[in-house]
Amino acid sequence: MQSSFALSLSSHLTSTTIPPSNLPFDSLLLAPSKPVNLRFCGLRREALRLSSSAKSQSTTSFRAPARSSKILASLGDNGSAPKSFDYDLIIIGAGVGGHGAALHAVEKGLKTAIIEGDVVGGTCVNRGCVPSKALLAVSGRMRELQSEHHLKALGLQVSAAGYDRQGVADHANNLASKIRNNLTNSMKALGVDILTGTATILGPQKVKYGKDNMVTAKDIIIATGSVPFVPKGIEVDGKTVITSDHALKLECVPDWIAIVGSGYIGLEFSDVYTALGSEVTFIEALDQLMPGFDPEIGKLAQRVLINPRKIDYHTGVFASKITPAKDGKPVTIELIDAKTKEHKDTLEVDAALIATGRAPFTNGLGLENINVVTQRGFVPVDERMRVIDADGNLVPHFYCIGDANGKMMLAHAASAQGISVVEQVTGRDHVLNHLSIPAACFTHPEISMVGLTEPQAREKAEVEGFEVSIAKTSFKANTKALAENEGEGLAKLIYRPDNGEILGVHIFGLHAADLIHEASNAIALGTRIQDIKYAVHAHPTLSEVLDELFKSAKVEAPSSSRVTETVVV
Ligand SMILES: Cc1cc2nc3c(=O)[nH]c(=O)nc-3n(C[C@H](O)[C@H](O)[C@H](O)COP(=O)(O)OP(=O)(O)OC[C@H]3O[C@@H](n4cnc5c(N)ncnc54)[C@H](O)[C@@H]3O)c2cc1C
Ligand SMILES: NC(=O)c1ccc[n+]([C@@H]2O[C@H](COP(=O)([O-])OP(=O)(O)OC[C@H]3O[C@@H](n4cnc5c(N)ncnc54)[C@H](O)[C@@H]3O)[C@@H](O)[C@H]2O)c1
């Protein structure tokens, strides 16, 4: 038996009708609704992402309130606010966003419950960041072991590298289980009540979960996340036409796979598949691959991550129709010109991965009971994540964080938004600076970024009337990168020469995802280049790439006295 929640989630998975907000593809939307199929690469299996724990609808942990406040359940009539509450804070959705909010809430002394309709951990832990990074850890090693040139340069000899597909798949699956348990245990240990069942908002400060359990809270956070977005005309069967949910299980490594969409998911999976022996064809609607990245970094990434690998691509085209393989026939993909909509080509491949963005999961949440109308499925919020109703007013005590509000679809952004909300409900005003939130694509080598791209910075400069300068440093000049024989890389700084403000930093190269934090922390804390350039970095480390970057910037403003003062130890 599947829980009704899991069923609704899985049907939503293949019948998403809401496009990602940034894409002008309305004519191609409305995917056909079909249940995810059961056979994939010869293995019979259940394709629904269900766990047995989702079947029970009970409280899995209960602790005494962390705060001594007397909270009594007193339900008002539907639609009216209760007078006293079961909890200080209820969070709907135990993904990374909900988890981050819950942990911060108990730290702040709030009596907190989190309601989860499926399994703890949400997308990131079960179907996203965690299993994908496990696959990428394998692809990175395979790539290194297969590169004769690279190994020879280090003086190494290794006989042919191989892999066991099931072993790789198990690594990803085991990691997800481990992290899911860690998340669950951390919440239980701190006294967060984990309530199991689908939640529906009944009115202000009131939520139903499971069959007919009712709870009230002073404040409520919606953190219901997202599901893969499948454009109209594409039939997902879960075996030959798949989304990331299926691909992460690695039930098959196709000889030739088309990847529709060259964003984060497409790019990361191209790294995995090509390392494991597949040929990849990208299908990208916009005129260039990786359209979301800074164009200069995108070009370099194409030179290193695409051109030398078994990857070809079609840009400026939509995959308007994709039919799964059947009766010995391959997967067929109809391509139309993105502008004229004329037929361009028909491809025949072994499999297709649909990586065309994510859609918010907000169906059936009961938003109508608080007069909220979603925007393409996303819950409208202000800069403090406060929910905005259909009349443009703030809904008291209601917040929405993470993928469901569409501000920034990243795990750490969801968690940071949750922490920001908890700060507010515990009396400290807090506005999260989204321009300080870093992002990374975990290819080999990695790409990372924070703040604005160069075109965005130039546009802002024109409107606001300031100059933009660019500084760059190469990994080729970095001792540690050269010692690793990984000199291919670039760091780029976009900044204001008049006052030293960091507008954006983009890195392509070894461990770029770890290196970006010096820049993102500087933006978050308002640190200027003329100050950070005096910070000392250990030698030889990759962090010196950023040290060089800040030092090479030409800033007119003087350093603050705090930095230039000499302290005698
Ligand atoms: C393949 C892939 C790789 C990714 N890699 C990265 C990465 O490396 N780094 C990164 O930062 N981000 C990554 N992401 C994005 C990241 O996973 C999401 O941004 C993040 O999971 C969003 O967290 P969330 O808490 O908003 O939602 P989710 O993680 O989606 O969690 C929402 C939870 O709410 C539950 N829920 C929904 N509706 C209800 C309801 N009515 N009642 C009760 N429970 C409900 C769901 O079951 C789910 O558990 C990746 C995504 C994918 C798909
Ligand atoms: N490392 C990470 O942080 C990471 C990894 C994976 C996913 N994610 C998150 O998950 C979300 C979803 O990732 P994604 O890669 O699916 O989305 P994305 O928005 O990054 O990229 C989607 C790409 O598909 C293209 N596209 C859309 N419809 C198309 C069509 N019909 N035909 C051809 N091309 C089409 C778009 O132009 C775009 O380039 C992202 O918002 C990202 O933040 C993050």
Side-chain angles (χ1 to χ4, degrees):
M1 274 272 295
Q2 291 143 3
S3 71
S4 59
F5 173 82
L7 280 173
S8 79
L9 197 61
S10 85
S11 67
H12 187 83
L13 202 156
T14 47
S15 64
T16 302
T17 55
I18 312 131
S21 57
N22 55 339
L23 296 174
F25 304 152
D26 294 15
S27 60
L28 291 163
L29 302 175
L30 294 168
S33 170
K34 282 238 172 150
V36 178
N37 228 315
L38 301 181
R39 273 185 81 81
F40 186 34
C41 283
L43 292 173
R44 186 158 283 280
R45 66 190 189 86
E46 274 221 296
L48 296 178
R49 44 184 162 90
L50 253 188
S51 101
S52 55
S53 67
K55 293 172 194 162
S56 77
Q57 291 179 339
S58 60
T59 305
T60 54
S61 109
F62 188 82
R63 286 278 194 100
R67 199 163 67 172
S68 61
S69 65
K70 234 188 187 175
I71 302 164
L72 296 169
S74 151
L75 298 175
D77 295 327
N78 273 2
S80 68
K83 294 189 189 77
S84 56
F85 305 99
D86 299 314
Y87 291 97
D88 294 313
L89 181 68
I90 285 179
I91 301 154
I92 305 175
V96 174
H99 176 259
L103 257 49
H104 196 57
V106 286
E107 190 192 317
K108 289 278 182 172
L110 300 186
K111 186 188 181 196
T112 305
I114 195 161
I115 307 177
E116 174 53 55
D118 191 24
V119 286
V120 167
T123 305
C124 178
V125 174
N126 301 294
R127 303 171 293 278
C129 335
V130 172
S132 65
K133 266 74 259 180
L135 296 183
L136 282 155
V138 173
S139 73
R141 282 180 174 79
M142 276 298 286
R143 217 166 265 298
E144 193 163 16
L145 292 173
Q146 284 168 340
S147 172
E148 221 177 287
H149 175 72
H150 172 71
L151 293 173
K152 209 170 164 193
L154 295 169
L156 289 174
Q157 289 167 0
V158 177
S159 57
Y163 70 94
D164 161 32
R165 182 200 54 76
Q166 190 56 52
V168 178
D170 289 347
H171 171 52
N173 188 36
N174 292 340
L175 184 68
S177 306
K178 192 174 185 171
I179 306 293
R180 184 167 59 240
N181 289 339
N182 288 350
L183 250 64
T184 308
N185 292 338
S186 64
M187 289 195 288
K188 282 183 181 172
L190 289 170
V192 176
D193 285 356
I194 305 174
L195 313 177
T196 307
T198 306
T200 311
I201 296 159
L202 292 181
Q205 301 168 301
K206 207 183 305 172
V207 174
K208 186 184 106 157
Y209 73 96
K211 250 193 169 157
D212 43 22
N213 308 303
M214 212 109 74
V215 271
T216 60
K218 184 171 169 295
D219 293 291
I220 294 174
I221 299 179
I222 299 166
T224 52
S226 68
V227 291
F229 165 69
V230 179
K232 179 189 163 190
I234 296 177
E235 187 186 335
V236 171
D237 70 348
K239 40 181 185 167
T240 59
V241 181
I242 57 178
T243 67
S244 55
D245 286 359
H246 310 102
L248 288 167
K249 296 191 159 86
L250 201 73
E251 290 183 338
C252 180
V253 179
D255 288 342
W256 184 8
I257 184 161
I259 300 184
V260 186
S262 65
Y264 284 86
I265 293 181
L267 206 55
E268 290 188 351
F269 270 104
S270 76
D271 195 285
V272 171
Y273 280 124
T274 52
L276 299 185
S278 305
E279 291 184 26
V280 166
T281 296
F282 267 119
I283 295 164
E284 171 54 54
L286 297 181
D287 286 338
Q288 73 204 46
L289 291 177
M290 302 166 273
F293 298 142
D294 180 87
E296 191 173 6
I297 296 290
K299 261 189 207 145
L300 176 59
Q302 174 151 347
R303 187 162 66 70
V304 178
L305 300 177
I306 308 284
N307 297 348
R309 298 182 181 175
K310 285 184 177 170
I311 301 178
D312 68 349
Y313 52 87
H314 301 260
T315 52
V317 289
F318 283 122
S320 59
K321 187 168 186 230
I322 302 189
T323 313
K326 207 175 172 187
D327 303 331
K329 288 189 193 140
V331 172
T332 55
I333 304 178
E334 301 292 338
L335 298 184
I336 59 169
D337 187 282
K339 290 188 189 96
T340 65
K341 306 285 186 289
E342 277 167 19
H343 180 262
K344 286 268 297 221
D345 213 341
T346 303
L347 305 180
E348 293 187 344
V349 292
D350 297 316
L353 168 64
I354 314 306
T356 47
R358 312 249 323 152
F361 187 57
T362 52
N363 280 357
L365 195 53
L367 289 165
E368 63 283 1
N369 296 330
I370 48 168
N371 187 31
V372 170
V373 176
T374 60
Q375 292 169 0
R376 300 154 83 90
F378 293 104
V379 177
V381 291
D382 72 354
E383 74 284 2
R384 290 178 174 80
M385 312 305 136
R386 296 178 294 194
V387 174
I388 300 169
D389 75 11
D391 304 317
N393 300 318
L394 295 176
V395 182
H397 307 289
F398 256 101
Y399 301 82
C400 177
I401 61 168
D403 283 10
N405 72 29
K407 273 184 182 283
M408 205 173 202
M409 292 176 116
L410 293 171
H412 46 281
S415 180
Q417 289 172 359
I419 289 168
S420 178
V421 169
V422 170
E423 285 294 299
Q424 292 168 58
V425 303
T426 51
R428 189 173 81 91
D429 189 27
H430 188 263
V431 178
L432 182 64
N433 176 8
H434 283 77
L435 280 175
S436 73
I437 298 179
C441 191
F442 295 82
T443 44
H444 298 91
E446 295 170 341
I447 309 169
S448 63
M449 67 222 75
V450 63
L452 304 175
T453 61
E454 187 176 339
Q456 287 169 340
R458 295 209 180 277
E459 202 181 312
K460 182 176 157 81
E462 198 159 320
V463 174
E464 295 180 18
F466 60 81
E467 291 290 309
V468 169
S469 288
I470 307 288
K472 292 177 210 168
T473 45
S474 166
F475 279 57
K476 285 195 177 77
N478 179 273
T479 307
K480 183 70 188 291
L482 292 177
E484 300 285 340
N485 193 35
E486 299 274 3
E488 191 73 81
L490 176 81
K492 174 174 176 178
L493 168 67
I494 304 159
Y495 67 102
R496 281 182 67 154
D498 57 342
N499 64 12
E501 183 186 350
I502 301 169
L503 300 171
V505 173
H506 302 261
I507 310 173
F508 176 86
L510 185 65
H511 296 308
D514 291 295
L515 292 177
I516 197 68
H517 296 95
E518 184 166 8
S520 60
N521 287 344
I523 294 177
L525 300 174
T527 311
R528 298 288 162 108
I529 296 166
Q530 60 272 26
D531 292 335
I532 201 170
K533 69 192 262 189
Y534 288 101
V536 182
H537 298 70
H539 176 76
T541 60
L542 293 170
S543 72
E544 289 169 297
V545 170
L546 282 190
D547 187 23
E548 288 300 319
L549 188 67
F550 294 131
K551 284 189 164 72
S552 67
K554 307 258 178 296
V555 179
E556 292 148 24
S559 315
S560 68
S561 53
R562 186 168 49 89
V563 175
T564 46
E565 267 168 19
T566 308
V567 179
V568 181
V569 188

